[in-house]
Amino acid sequence: MDNDSEAKVIGKMLGHRMKTIVVRDSEVAKKCAQMVSESRSSAKVKIWPLDQIVPYHGTVTSSGLPLASEDVQEKEGCRGFAVNRMKLRERHAYLRHTMVWALFGKTMLFNSLENAMAYRKAVIAIKKNCPVILCMDNAEILDQSGIIEVTSKQSTQTSQSQSEVFVLGQLPPETDHIQLENFQQTKKLLGEYKTTLADQKASKLAEKGNQQKRQLEVLKDEIRTHQSELEEIEKE
Protein backbone atom coordinates (compact mmCIF):
# COMPACT_ATOMS: atom_id res chain seq x y z
CA MET A 1 0.00 0.00 0.00
CA ASP A 2 1.16 3.54 -0.70
CA ASN A 3 -0.33 4.98 2.50
CA ASP A 4 1.36 4.06 5.81
CA SER A 5 -1.66 4.83 8.00
CA GLU A 6 -3.90 2.64 5.84
CA ALA A 7 -1.31 -0.14 5.87
CA LYS A 8 -1.18 -0.06 9.67
CA VAL A 9 -4.92 -0.07 10.33
CA ILE A 10 -5.53 -2.81 7.73
CA GLY A 11 -2.70 -4.78 9.28
CA LYS A 12 -4.35 -4.33 12.67
CA MET A 13 -7.65 -5.63 11.28
CA LEU A 14 -6.04 -8.70 9.73
CA GLY A 15 -3.74 -9.42 12.68
CA HIS A 16 -2.27 -12.92 12.67
CA ARG A 17 -4.10 -13.75 9.44
CA MET A 18 -1.29 -11.86 7.69
CA LYS A 19 0.94 -14.86 8.37
CA THR A 20 -1.37 -17.13 6.37
CA ILE A 21 0.33 -19.07 3.58
CA VAL A 22 -1.59 -18.71 0.31
CA VAL A 23 -1.25 -21.64 -2.11
CA ARG A 24 -2.54 -22.38 -5.61
CA ASP A 25 -5.09 -25.08 -4.84
CA SER A 26 -6.32 -27.74 -2.42
CA GLU A 27 -3.83 -30.37 -3.60
CA VAL A 28 -0.89 -28.12 -2.76
CA ALA A 29 -2.55 -27.22 0.55
CA LYS A 30 -2.85 -30.91 1.51
CA LYS A 31 0.80 -31.55 0.70
CA CYS A 32 1.89 -28.50 2.71
CA ALA A 33 -0.31 -29.56 5.62
CA GLN A 34 1.22 -33.03 5.57
CA MET A 35 4.75 -31.63 5.57
CA VAL A 36 3.99 -29.34 8.51
CA SER A 37 2.27 -32.10 10.50
CA GLU A 38 5.24 -34.43 9.95
CA SER A 39 7.85 -31.81 10.85
CA ARG A 40 9.33 -31.20 14.29
CA SER A 41 8.30 -27.56 14.28
CA SER A 42 5.92 -26.28 16.96
CA ALA A 43 4.65 -23.60 14.61
CA LYS A 44 0.91 -23.25 14.07
CA VAL A 45 0.51 -22.75 10.32
CA LYS A 46 -2.50 -21.38 8.43
CA ILE A 47 -2.77 -22.47 4.79
CA TRP A 48 -5.23 -20.90 2.36
CA PRO A 49 -5.85 -22.60 -1.01
CA LEU A 50 -7.21 -20.20 -3.62
CA ASP A 51 -9.73 -22.73 -4.96
CA GLN A 52 -11.52 -22.70 -1.58
CA ILE A 53 -12.35 -18.99 -1.84
CA VAL A 54 -15.81 -17.71 -2.77
CA PRO A 55 -14.98 -14.93 -5.28
CA TYR A 56 -16.73 -11.65 -5.99
CA HIS A 57 -19.47 -12.46 -8.52
CA GLY A 58 -20.05 -9.01 -9.98
CA THR A 59 -18.29 -7.23 -12.81
CA VAL A 60 -14.55 -6.75 -12.30
CA THR A 61 -12.85 -3.75 -13.90
CA SER A 62 -9.21 -2.76 -14.26
CA SER A 63 -9.72 -0.05 -11.63
CA GLY A 64 -11.16 -2.44 -9.05
CA LEU A 65 -14.52 -3.76 -7.94
CA PRO A 66 -17.50 -1.49 -8.72
CA LEU A 67 -18.75 -1.22 -5.14
CA ALA A 68 -21.02 1.63 -4.06
CA SER A 69 -21.55 3.16 -0.65
CA GLU A 70 -25.06 3.84 0.62
CA ASP A 71 -26.82 6.90 -0.75
CA VAL A 72 -26.49 9.14 2.29
CA GLN A 73 -25.05 12.63 2.72
CA GLU A 74 -22.72 11.78 5.62
CA LYS A 75 -19.71 10.66 3.56
CA GLU A 76 -17.16 13.18 4.74
CA GLY A 77 -13.73 11.64 5.17
CA CYS A 78 -14.56 8.50 3.17
CA ARG A 79 -11.54 7.01 1.36
CA GLY A 80 -13.41 4.21 -0.33
CA PHE A 81 -13.35 0.43 -0.01
CA ALA A 82 -10.35 -1.46 1.36
CA VAL A 83 -10.54 -4.03 -1.46
CA ASN A 84 -9.85 -1.27 -4.00
CA ARG A 85 -7.10 0.42 -1.97
CA MET A 86 -4.76 -2.54 -2.42
CA LYS A 87 -1.93 -2.13 -4.91
CA LEU A 88 -1.44 -5.35 -6.88
CA ARG A 89 1.06 -6.28 -9.57
CA GLU A 90 -0.52 -6.93 -12.95
CA ARG A 91 0.09 -10.67 -12.72
CA HIS A 92 -1.67 -10.71 -9.33
CA ALA A 93 -4.72 -8.66 -10.41
CA TYR A 94 -6.96 -11.76 -10.15
CA LEU A 95 -6.39 -11.79 -6.39
CA ARG A 96 -8.52 -8.64 -5.96
CA HIS A 97 -11.82 -10.40 -6.66
CA THR A 98 -10.72 -13.59 -4.88
CA MET A 99 -8.35 -13.38 -1.92
CA VAL A 100 -8.61 -9.62 -1.22
CA TRP A 101 -12.40 -9.71 -1.56
CA ALA A 102 -12.60 -12.70 0.81
CA LEU A 103 -10.51 -10.82 3.38
CA PHE A 104 -12.25 -7.44 3.27
CA GLY A 105 -15.60 -7.69 1.52
CA LYS A 106 -17.16 -4.21 1.67
CA THR A 107 -14.91 -2.92 4.46
CA MET A 108 -14.60 0.87 4.15
CA LEU A 109 -11.95 3.41 5.13
CA PHE A 110 -12.68 6.78 6.75
CA ASN A 111 -10.33 9.49 7.97
CA SER A 112 -11.68 9.59 11.52
CA LEU A 113 -13.92 7.77 13.96
CA GLU A 114 -16.23 10.78 13.95
CA ASN A 115 -16.64 10.52 10.16
CA ALA A 116 -17.20 6.77 10.40
CA MET A 117 -19.84 7.00 13.13
CA ALA A 118 -21.72 9.72 11.24
CA TYR A 119 -21.85 7.53 8.14
CA ARG A 120 -22.89 4.45 10.12
CA LYS A 121 -25.67 6.38 11.87
CA ALA A 122 -27.01 7.60 8.51
CA VAL A 123 -26.93 4.08 7.05
CA ILE A 124 -28.79 2.66 10.06
CA ALA A 125 -31.40 5.42 9.68
CA ILE A 126 -32.32 4.11 6.21
CA LYS A 127 -32.48 0.57 7.60
CA LYS A 128 -29.39 -0.75 5.81
CA ASN A 129 -26.50 -2.83 7.08
CA CYS A 130 -23.21 -1.01 7.55
CA PRO A 131 -19.93 -2.78 6.76
CA VAL A 132 -16.78 -2.76 8.89
CA ILE A 133 -15.16 0.70 8.88
CA LEU A 134 -11.46 1.33 9.47
CA CYS A 135 -10.50 4.76 10.83
CA MET A 136 -7.17 6.27 9.86
CA ASP A 137 -6.53 8.90 12.54
CA ASN A 138 -6.13 6.54 15.51
CA ALA A 139 -6.53 3.12 13.85
CA GLU A 140 -9.97 2.44 15.36
CA ILE A 141 -12.09 -0.35 13.91
CA LEU A 142 -15.87 0.08 13.84
CA ASP A 143 -17.28 -3.39 13.25
CA GLN A 144 -20.60 -4.42 11.71
CA SER A 145 -22.30 -4.67 15.11
CA GLY A 146 -21.25 -1.13 16.04
CA ILE A 147 -18.50 -2.17 18.46
CA ILE A 148 -15.50 0.14 18.33
CA GLU A 149 -12.06 -1.42 18.78
CA VAL A 150 -9.63 1.12 20.18
CA THR A 151 -5.97 0.62 21.06
CA SER A 152 -4.11 3.07 23.30
CA LYS A 153 -0.92 4.64 21.99
CA GLN A 154 0.98 3.13 24.92
CA SER A 155 -0.31 -0.33 24.04
CA THR A 156 0.70 0.17 20.42
CA GLN A 157 4.21 1.19 21.43
CA THR A 158 4.49 -1.87 23.69
CA SER A 159 3.25 -4.12 20.91
CA GLN A 160 5.77 -2.65 18.50
CA SER A 161 8.60 -3.45 20.89
CA GLN A 162 7.31 -7.04 21.08
CA SER A 163 6.84 -7.38 17.30
CA GLU A 164 3.05 -7.77 17.63
CA VAL A 165 2.12 -4.99 15.19
CA PHE A 166 1.27 -6.12 11.68
CA VAL A 167 1.72 -3.69 8.81
CA LEU A 168 0.36 -4.68 5.41
CA GLY A 169 3.09 -5.03 2.81
CA GLN A 170 6.00 -5.32 5.26
CA LEU A 171 8.06 -8.31 6.32
CA PRO A 172 8.35 -9.25 10.01
CA PRO A 173 11.01 -7.25 11.88
CA GLU A 174 14.46 -8.71 12.49
CA THR A 175 14.06 -9.98 16.03
CA ASP A 176 14.49 -13.14 18.06
CA HIS A 177 10.78 -13.20 18.86
CA ILE A 178 9.28 -16.70 18.88
CA GLN A 179 6.71 -15.74 16.22
CA LEU A 180 9.47 -14.79 13.80
CA GLU A 181 11.20 -18.11 14.48
CA ASN A 182 7.96 -19.92 13.65
CA PHE A 183 7.57 -17.85 10.51
CA GLN A 184 11.13 -18.63 9.42
CA GLN A 185 10.62 -22.34 10.14
CA THR A 186 7.45 -22.34 8.04
CA LYS A 187 9.24 -20.50 5.24
CA LYS A 188 12.05 -23.05 5.38
CA LEU A 189 9.60 -25.95 5.13
CA LEU A 190 7.94 -24.38 2.10
CA GLY A 191 11.35 -23.78 0.54
CA GLU A 192 12.24 -27.45 1.00
CA TYR A 193 8.90 -28.47 -0.48
CA LYS A 194 9.43 -26.26 -3.55
CA THR A 195 12.96 -27.64 -3.97
CA THR A 196 11.63 -31.20 -3.79
CA LEU A 197 9.01 -30.46 -6.44
CA ALA A 198 11.62 -28.81 -8.68
CA ASP A 199 13.97 -31.82 -8.28
CA GLN A 200 11.16 -34.23 -9.11
CA LYS A 201 10.25 -32.23 -12.20
CA ALA A 202 13.90 -32.04 -13.32
CA SER A 203 14.30 -35.79 -12.75
CA LYS A 204 11.25 -36.57 -14.87
CA LEU A 205 12.48 -34.27 -17.65
CA ALA A 206 15.93 -35.87 -17.51
CA GLU A 207 14.44 -39.37 -17.68
CA LYS A 208 12.29 -38.36 -20.64
CA GLY A 209 15.37 -36.90 -22.36
CA ASN A 210 17.37 -40.07 -21.71
CA GLN A 211 14.55 -42.19 -23.09
CA GLN A 212 14.42 -40.13 -26.28
CA LYS A 213 18.21 -40.34 -26.54
CA ARG A 214 18.09 -44.14 -26.27
CA GLN A 215 15.40 -44.31 -28.93
CA LEU A 216 17.53 -42.14 -31.21
CA GLU A 217 20.56 -44.39 -30.69
CA VAL A 218 18.49 -47.47 -31.56
CA LEU A 219 17.30 -45.74 -34.72
CA LYS A 220 20.90 -44.85 -35.67
CA ASP A 221 21.98 -48.48 -35.11
CA GLU A 222 19.22 -49.69 -37.39
CA ILE A 223 20.26 -47.22 -40.08
CA ARG A 224 23.91 -48.38 -39.83
CA THR A 225 22.83 -52.02 -39.97
CA HIS A 226 20.89 -51.47 -43.17
CA GLN A 227 23.28 -48.90 -44.65
CA SER A 228 24.36 -51.15 -47.51
CA GLU A 229 20.76 -51.98 -48.38
CA LEU A 230 19.87 -48.30 -48.42
CA GLU A 231 22.79 -47.55 -50.71
CA GLU A 232 21.68 -50.31 -53.12
CA ILE A 233 18.18 -48.85 -53.16
CA GLU A 234 19.54 -45.39 -53.94
CA LYS A 235 21.60 -46.80 -56.88
CA GLU A 236 18.54 -48.43 -58.36
Side-chain angles (χ1 to χ4, degrees):
M1 296 197 70
D2 293 335
N3 188 288
D4 288 342
S5 62
E6 291 183 12
K8 288 179 181 178
V9 72
I10 288 176
K12 176 183 175 181
M13 173 191 174
L14 295 177
H16 288 274
R17 285 183 293 171
M18 284 184 62
K19 297 190 293 183
T20 300
I21 300 168
V22 181
V23 296
R24 183 179 62 250
D25 53 40
S26 300
E27 289 304 312
V28 177
K30 287 188 287 187
K31 292 176 182 177
C32 289
Q34 183 176 358
M35 287 188 66
V36 173
S37 65
E38 292 175 355
S39 72
R40 297 180 180 179
S41 171
S42 60
K44 183 181 292 185
V45 179
K46 294 182 180 180
I47 304 168
W48 196 9
L50 290 176
D51 64 353
Q52 291 291 321
I53 293 174
V54 179
Y56 174 77
H57 292 299
T59 303
V60 179
T61 67
S62 57
S63 58
L65 307 186
L67 305 176
S69 57
E70 297 298 342
D71 187 17
V72 296
Q73 293 183 349
E74 292 77 359
K75 294 182 182 179
E76 182 180 351
C78 179
R79 297 192 181 191
F81 294 89
V83 68
N84 289 331
R85 302 292 290 180
M86 301 293 109
K87 301 293 183 182
L88 300 174
R89 294 187 177 94
E90 187 176 350
R91 70 175 185 273
H92 295 148
Y94 70 96
L95 292 176
R96 189 179 306 281
H97 67 278
T98 54
M99 184 186 76
V100 181
W101 168 252
L103 284 172
F104 300 109
K106 292 186 176 181
T107 296
M108 300 179 71
L109 279 67
F110 276 79
N111 286 338
S112 67
L113 179 60
E114 183 179 358
N115 295 152
M117 293 180 74
Y119 175 77
R120 178 179 172 81
K121 187 174 181 180
V123 171
I124 292 173
I126 60 173
K127 301 185 184 330
K128 295 289 184 69
N129 294 323
C130 187
V132 175
I133 300 177
L134 309 181
C135 309
M136 299 302 103
D137 285 356
N138 295 303
E140 301 99 341
I141 300 175
L142 180 57
D143 74 13
Q144 287 181 300
S145 67
I147 295 174
I148 306 168
E149 181 180 333
V150 186
T151 306
S152 70
K153 293 181 179 179
Q154 178 62 38
S155 176
T156 300
Q157 292 172 355
T158 302
S159 295
Q160 287 175 337
S161 66
Q162 296 177 350
S163 308
E164 293 290 343
V165 174
F166 298 92
V167 179
L168 191 68
Q170 292 187 358
L171 294 174
E174 293 298 331
T175 172
D176 291 332
H177 196 276
I178 185 64
Q179 290 183 342
L180 180 59
E181 293 179 2
N182 290 341
F183 174 83
Q184 290 173 332
Q185 180 64 24
T186 303
K187 185 177 179 181
K188 180 180 177 182
L189 287 171
L190 282 177
E192 292 174 352
Y193 174 65
K194 289 180 179 178
T195 300
T196 300
L197 285 181
D199 290 344
Q200 290 176 349
K201 185 176 181 180
S203 178
K204 288 180 180 179
L205 288 174
E207 177 59 31
K208 185 176 181 181
N210 290 334
Q211 184 178 4
Q212 292 175 339
K213 186 177 179 180
R214 288 193 294 270
Q215 291 174 345
L216 183 59
E217 290 297 331
V218 170
L219 183 59
K220 287 181 178 179
D221 289 340
E222 290 182 357
I223 292 174
R224 283 193 291 268
T225 301
H226 301 284
Q227 186 65 39
S228 58
E229 296 177 16
L230 291 172
E231 289 176 355
E232 289 295 329
I233 293 173
E234 288 180 356
K235 290 178 182 180
E236 293 177 1

